[in-house]
């Protein structure tokens, strides 16, 4: 599968239990328009207990990309 042909953000926990986070990141970097990648330390698939960190990554991306206007 191919990723989107636009700016995008991949947020991945390094304790992901459903997919190997290194494999997901390797796949993403091979896309025609690779994403910005954020790896959250100690974070699992559903981001339990880490929603603030998730929100901060999303809002930071939106701000950097000028998407929140």
């Amino acid at each position: 599968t191919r990723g989107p042909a636009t700016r995008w953000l991949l947020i991945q926990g390094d304790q992901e239990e459903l997919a190997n986070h290194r494999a997901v990141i390797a796949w993403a970097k091979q896309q025609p328009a690779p994403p910005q990648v954020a790896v959250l330390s100690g974070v699992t698939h559903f981001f339990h207990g880490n929603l603030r960190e998730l929100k901060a990554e999303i809002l930071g991306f939106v701000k950097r990309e000028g998407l929140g206007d």
Side-chain angles (χ1 to χ4, degrees), residues 2-60:
R2 295 181 93 54
T6 186
R7 299 172 293 190
W8 57 298
L9 172 65
L10 171 67
I11 304 172
Q12 184 74 46
D14 69 353
Q15 298 300 308
E16 167 67 56
E17 57 275 48
L18 300 181
N20 180 291
H21 75 280
R22 289 183 184 94
V24 172
I25 293 167
W27 168 84
K29 289 181 178 180
Q30 296 174 8
Q31 298 308 302
Q36 290 185 30
V37 175
V39 178
L40 302 182
S41 180
V43 176
T44 61
H45 183 76
F46 291 106
F47 297 91
H48 291 298
N50 300 97
L51 294 180
R52 287 190 177 123
E53 292 88 344
L54 177 62
K55 179 181 177 180
E57 290 294 339
I58 294 168
L59 291 178

